[in-house]
Amino acid sequence: MMAAHEFGIMQKNPSYEERFDSYEPQKYNCIYIDDDFIEPIMDELQSIDCYWHTLQRPEKGLAYCGVTLIPYESMESFINILLLQNNEAYDPLIHLANQAKENKKYLIHFGI
């Protein structure tokens, strides 16, 4: 199996006390994006405000090998980076991010 990143919409936004350390892509109906499409944009993603594993750990960009919580406030920037790639491989992720933004939900990302 190829290295992949998984993204899903969190139906309940995380609370400050919660930690997300378990690999549970099925819980969030995650979509798979091959690492060949994530690795090249990791630098651009460093501009995005995210959280790694918990809201108590604000960071920039994706936790490449961990769990990232992407708040809806960061969704517009996230979507714009994906759109700039001009590659239909990002379309499912753009669609998912737009849904999260419209519904004021977090995206959860499971790294490789």
Side-chain angles (χ1 to χ4, degrees), residues 3 11 18 26 30 35 48 52 59 61 67 77 83-84 90 96 98 107-110:
Q11 293 309 311
E18 282 181 287
Q26 65 289 345
C30 286
D35 185 48
I48 306 292
W52 291 5
E59 296 285 347
V67 178
S77 302
L83 287 171
L84 284 172
Y90 297 103
L96 195 73
N98 272 316
L107 279 186
I108 190 165
H109 158 258
F110 297 99

Side-chain angles (χ1 to χ4, degrees), residues 1-4 6 23 32:
M1 185 170 153
M2 290 186 271
E6 298 171 83
Y23 175 69
Y32 296 83

Side-chain angles (χ1 to χ4, degrees), residues 40-54:
I41 62 170
M42 284 300 287
D43 284 345
E44 288 103 306
L45 293 174
Q46 291 305 310
S47 66
I48 306 292
D49 289 321
C50 296
Y51 301 93
W52 291 5
H53 297 271
T54 172

